[in-house]
């Protein structure tokens, strides 16, 4: 497999780090969309097999979908070995705790990992707590992520702020991809010109005569393979209301079949900010609480517990950090048809509809990261309105 110059340099850096007996506990590799990060990971795995055929490597990512995509690409490249594992970070380092009825009541950190190397994909999503848990095993870690994206949703921790190794050259296989072209505009200038970049990849201006009609059609044809993205919570609420009404939901209360998003980490229950899913069953428990069963996209077993009713459709998020009583009672979810770009980090969808909304306090660098992060959620189709 022919590598670009910066891929060759990054590969040499990774191998030098791995061979060094006095190596630091981890090394970071940053790369923009289309620079061939996954290709490089596959080549690296084959190189490591030459050094040590018995090496046990764990590949992991923040979301289940990202982990599955990585697994498929590694298989295609012949870079997944019998001793290797691929899954979520959570599945790698935590074990479910069950009651007598087989229900998960919490998660415990595993005492040890029988691994020789951990490779973390989508590392820009990893928060400080999970990173410290990973480091505690004293297993060498390669963290790979897109340094052009927004930092993690909460906290000051940002693993990809200054990557030690960089990929910046767009891979020739990706050079003709219209979504990569749009992402380059977003990343370098923060301005995506209004034009048709390719089939299903279009930028509209708000005053275009057909923009309102086209956006309405896209919202009405929403499916779980679609991400509707925006900037403001007020816009997100309006979009959620529109889509729910179009899908036949007659009340503002969450109902069975509703698409929802988790808004707060709960490590004991194994749910994380940004996880998407669908309500299987929901019933009123107390005036402000529902008992819900939710099938999350990244988990085999459904979530079951109490969720806070006033959060659904609220203009702002409830601050559970300040109100410990609420935090101890249950969890935070909201409707998940439309999301802010910040909440969509780490996720991807076949089709993305992005409404450009810039906050007044957002500087040029943060705006470029916001726009780039939103654009690069798209796998096949991308429609921008701004």
């Amino acid at each position: 497999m022919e590598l670009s110059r910066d891929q060759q340099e990054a590969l040499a850096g990774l191998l030098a780090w791995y061979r060094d007996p006095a190596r630091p506990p981890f090394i970071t590799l940053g790369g923009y969309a289309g620079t061939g990060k996954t290709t490089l990971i596959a080549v690296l795995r084959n190189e490591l097999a030459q050094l040590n055929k018995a090496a046990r490597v764990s590949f992991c990512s923040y979301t289940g979908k990202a982990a599955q995509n990585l697994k498929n690409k590694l298989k295609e490249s012949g870079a997944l070995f019998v001793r290797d594992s691929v899954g979520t970070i959570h599945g790698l380092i935590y074990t479910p705790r069950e009651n007598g009825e087989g229900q998960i009541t919490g998660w415990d950190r595993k005492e040890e990992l029988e691994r020789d190397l951990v490779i973390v994909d989508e590392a820009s999503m990893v928060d400080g707590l999970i990173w410290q848990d990973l480091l505690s095993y004293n297993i060498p870690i390669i963290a790979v992520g897109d340094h052009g994206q927004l930092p993690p949703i909460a906290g000051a921790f940002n693993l990809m702020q200054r990557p030690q190794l960089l990929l910046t050259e767009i891979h020739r296989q990706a050079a003709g991809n219209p979504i990569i072209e749009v992402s380059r505009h977003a990343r370098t200038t923060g301005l995506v010109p209004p034009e048709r970049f390719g089939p299903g990849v279009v930028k509209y201006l708000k005053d275009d005569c057909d923009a309102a009609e086209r956006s309405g059609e896209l919202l009405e044809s929403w499916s779980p393979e679609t991400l509707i993205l925006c900037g403001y919570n007020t816009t997100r609420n309006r979009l959620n209301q529109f889509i729910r009404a179009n899908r036949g939901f007659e009340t503002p209360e969450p109902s069975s079949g509703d698409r929802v998003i988790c808004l707060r980490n709960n490590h004991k229950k194994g749910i994380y900010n940004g996880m998407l899913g669908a309500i299987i069953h929901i019933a009123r428990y107390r005036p402000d609480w529902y008992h819900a069963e939710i099938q999350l996209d990244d988990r085999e077993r459904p979530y079951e517990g109490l969720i806070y009713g006033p959060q659904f459709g609220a203009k702002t998020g409830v601050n559970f950090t300040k109100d410990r009583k609420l935090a101890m009672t249950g969890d935070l979810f909201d409707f998940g048809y439309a999301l802010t770009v910040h909440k969509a980090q780490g996720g991807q969808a076949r089709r993305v509809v992005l409404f450009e909304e810039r906050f007044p306090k957002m500087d040029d660098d943060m705006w470029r990261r916001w726009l780039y992060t939103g654009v690069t959620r798209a796998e096949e189709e991308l429609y921008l309105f701004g």
Side-chain angles (χ1 to χ4, degrees), residues 18 46 59 84 96 127 138 146 151 155 161 174 181 215 222 231 236 245 249 317 380:
Y18 185 75
N46 282 314
F59 299 92
D84 295 346
D127 64 31
N138 295 315
D146 189 332
Q161 189 167 12
E181 184 182 352
S215 63
W222 179 91
R236 180 182 63 84
F249 292 100
E380 297 177 19

Side-chain angles (χ1 to χ4, degrees), residues 245-258:
N246 186 66
R247 291 175 61 81
F249 292 100
E250 298 178 353
T251 72
E253 296 184 348
S255 306
S256 296
D258 257 320

Side-chain angles (χ1 to χ4, degrees), residues 103-120:
Q103 296 173 325
I104 296 176
T105 58
W107 294 78
D108 299 314
R109 192 175 69 80
K110 295 175 182 176
E111 292 186 7
E112 61 179 343
L113 298 179
E114 295 181 351
R115 300 282 104 187
D116 301 299
L117 176 68
V118 173
I119 299 179
V120 181

Side-chain angles (χ1 to χ4, degrees), residues 28-29 60-62 89 119-127 131 142-146 152 157-160:
T28 52
L29 169 67
C60 57
S61 190
Y62 196 82
I89 301 173
I119 299 179
V120 181
D121 192 27
E122 297 279 359
S124 58
M125 286 293 300
V126 177
D127 64 31
W131 182 243
I142 298 174
V144 184
D146 189 332
F157 181 80
N158 185 359
L159 189 56
M160 285 292 113

Side-chain angles (χ1 to χ4, degrees), residues 232-259:
Y232 290 109
N233 268 317
T234 51
T235 304
R236 180 182 63 84
N237 284 331
R238 288 201 306 271
L239 292 169
N240 277 328
Q241 290 169 9
F242 178 88
I243 296 170
R244 291 188 77 245
N246 186 66
R247 291 175 61 81
F249 292 100
E250 298 178 353
T251 72
E253 296 184 348
S255 306
S256 296
D258 257 320
R259 185 72 165 165

